[in-house]
Amino acid sequence: MSSTTVRVLYIDDEENNLQAFRASFRRQYEIYTAISAQEGLEILQNIEMHVIIADQKMPNTTGVEFFKSIVHTHPDPIRILLTGYTDIEALADAINHGDIYRYIQKPWNDLELHNSIKNAYDAYKSKIDLRNKMLELEKTNDELNRFIYSISHELRAPLVSVLGILNLVKMEGLYNSSGEYWGLIEACSNKLDYYIQKTLQYYKNAKNVEEKSDIDFESLLKELIDLYTYIDVETVFTLNVNQAVKFRGDIFRVEVILGNLISNAVKYQKQTEAHKKVNINVDVNAFEAVITIHDNGIGILKEHLEKIFSQFFKGNALNGSGLGLFIVKEALNKINGKITVNSTIEEGTTFKINIPNAN
């Protein structure tokens, strides 16, 4: 450690103490002194400090009060409190608020104070190093997310073309002309498209800033129902919307939430069920929208209920990305919404979501 790099500010209302401190440590550290808390604050506003030492018993502002006052404006310097008497309440208050790194009784021992300053500077460096690594990690993570989004977006274009060709094959009556091959191609293409769409949703939900707009739940849900009825014509939807007041919210995230829940309600139906049903009820008031989505599908094991919102968790034997409900929970967190679930194996599942009305 190079001694000239460590900048120490010492605040004390007794000039003799300031002079003694300078005399003891001027060769080891870059020393700054202040006769009052106000003078110390002025120094902090102009010079970046590594370690701040303050006397507890000062007129107008105590050492603890000074440290509290700079918690948000100068969070980085490490704080050491000097006290010439035992003030347990003041020390407990300072420590509990995270304002001090260590306290030392006056008159100080030079070796003890030197070691405290050295350790405090090490703590300062560790704090700054950790922050820089966090910033670097966030930058790397952002670049990785952008790369994944870009690749996913580019992959979807040729995939849509493949699905378009499959539709042409069906229209020309050639779908069954090559055994199971066209069906296998369609199944794999749909699965890949599902994964790509979930990846894109995850990225957009993480990055998009909340944008509020008017939401008509009846029209929004009818569009989503039309989409999933097309995918599985056997599932019968029942929609009941009670919306007598205007609702404002994040239309992108609300659509992502509802789309994923309706998709799951269709996907996890029982294959042997003759009457596949999904019931959707919406009640909107001035404070929130309460939405329940109930299906008579395969249900969820009780021991899985607390895990279903975890990333990549797959609680059923059916194929899935393990992202759908994770994205639902993340999107709800972004808009301060809540979700609960009740489920019984072989009887069905009910999701209830509460979304605040920003009207």
Side-chain angles (χ1 to χ4, degrees):
M1 179 181 73
S2 174
S3 60
T4 57
T5 63
V6 184
R7 290 186 290 276
V8 181
L9 170 62
Y10 175 36
I11 306 170
D12 197 317
D13 65 315
E14 296 183 25
E15 182 62 42
N16 289 339
N17 289 337
L18 299 179
Q19 291 177 0
F21 184 82
R22 279 193 295 264
S24 297
F25 298 106
R26 63 186 176 82
R27 295 181 183 277
Q28 297 162 299
Y29 308 108
E30 187 176 327
I31 301 296
Y32 296 83
T33 58
I35 198 76
S36 67
Q38 180 58 39
E39 186 177 317
L41 185 59
E42 291 172 2
I43 293 173
L44 279 176
Q45 290 170 344
N46 294 287
I47 302 171
E48 181 183 344
M49 291 295 162
H50 301 137
V51 180
I52 303 174
I53 303 171
D55 183 34
Q56 166 62 6
K57 192 176 181 181
M58 295 187 294
N60 301 323
T61 304
T62 67
V64 169
E65 291 169 344
F66 173 74
F67 284 145
K68 282 186 180 181
S69 71
I70 63 170
V71 165
H72 300 296
T73 56
H74 300 83
D76 293 333
I78 305 300
R79 300 145 168 77
I80 297 175
L81 186 71
L82 286 180
T83 176
Y85 61 97
T86 303
D87 188 346
I88 299 301
E89 288 187 7
L91 293 177
D93 191 31
I95 292 170
N96 289 338
H97 285 84
D99 300 326
I100 66 169
Y101 169 74
R102 184 168 295 176
Y103 79 91
I104 296 175
Q105 287 193 323
K106 294 168 66 176
W108 68 74
N109 174 282
D110 280 3
L111 180 59
E112 180 187 7
L113 186 53
H114 166 67
N115 287 333
S116 296
I117 295 172
K118 181 179 178 299
N119 292 335
Y121 179 66
D122 289 340
Y124 171 86
K125 285 199 303 180
S126 297
K127 180 193 291 188
I128 299 302
D129 288 345
L130 179 60
R131 178 190 300 158
N132 290 336
K133 288 177 181 177
M134 289 294 293
L135 290 172
E136 185 178 344
L137 181 60
E138 287 176 4
K139 181 182 177 183
T140 302
N141 188 55
D142 185 59
E143 290 173 350
L144 178 60
N145 281 335
R146 288 176 182 273
F147 174 75
I148 292 172
Y149 175 78
S150 177
I151 291 296
S152 299
H153 194 271
E154 293 300 320
L155 281 173
R156 194 146 193 268
L159 185 59
V160 169
S161 297
V162 171
L163 293 171
I165 292 170
L166 282 167
N167 283 331
L168 289 175
V169 169
K170 290 178 179 178
M171 290 171 62
E172 294 179 6
L174 301 174
Y175 189 79
N176 297 315
S177 63
S178 302
E180 298 179 354
Y181 295 129
W182 287 117
L184 291 171
I185 292 172
E186 183 176 32
C188 292
S189 298
N190 284 330
K191 186 183 296 184
L192 181 57
D193 187 43
Y194 173 80
Y195 286 138
I196 290 173
Q197 288 193 61
K198 287 294 174 283
T199 302
L200 294 174
Q201 283 182 0
Y202 173 76
Y203 176 84
K204 288 179 180 178
N205 178 59
K207 295 310 248 184
N208 280 13
V209 176
E210 184 178 357
E211 294 184 4
K212 298 181 178 64
S213 57
D214 292 348
I215 298 177
D216 182 341
F217 281 99
E218 185 154 12
S219 60
L220 173 60
L221 284 163
K222 281 182 177 178
E223 289 177 8
L224 292 170
I225 288 171
D226 287 343
L227 173 63
Y228 291 101
T229 301
Y230 174 76
I231 294 173
D232 184 355
V233 295
E234 295 180 357
T235 300
V236 177
F237 284 86
T238 302
L239 176 62
N240 179 33
V241 178
N242 178 21
Q243 183 175 359
V245 299
K246 185 167 70 172
F247 185 93
R248 286 183 63 79
D250 187 328
I251 184 65
F252 165 72
R253 290 190 170 92
V254 170
E255 185 173 351
V256 165
I257 292 163
L258 296 177
N260 276 288
L261 291 176
I262 293 172
S263 171
N264 278 4
V266 173
K267 185 191 308 179
Y268 296 112
Q269 284 287 346
K270 291 175 285 191
Q271 298 302 311
T272 57
E273 176 61 54
H275 304 287
K276 300 177 181 178
K277 296 184 295 184
V278 177
N279 299 326
I280 304 173
N281 291 286
V282 183
D283 284 298
V284 181
N285 58 49
F287 305 103
E288 64 177 356
V290 181
I291 306 165
T292 58
I293 300 176
H294 172 75
D295 65 68
N296 61 340
I298 63 176
I300 304 169
L301 290 171
K302 186 176 181 180
E303 57 265 31
H304 290 166
L305 287 177
E306 294 183 359
K307 306 174 185 177
I308 58 174
F309 298 107
S310 302
Q311 193 173 19
F312 303 124
F313 177 76
K314 299 179 182 181
N316 292 288
L318 297 176
N319 291 327
S321 65
L323 277 175
L325 290 177
F326 172 76
I327 292 172
V328 167
K329 191 69 166 64
E330 289 293 298
L332 280 166
N333 288 341
K334 293 279 187 179
I335 58 176
N336 298 316
K338 297 185 297 182
I339 185 167
T340 57
V341 56
N342 290 297
S343 188
T344 304
I345 288 295
E346 295 300 317
E347 291 185 16
T349 302
T350 301
F351 285 96
K352 178 182 177 182
I353 59 175
N354 299 69
I355 304 174
N357 191 346
N359 187 24

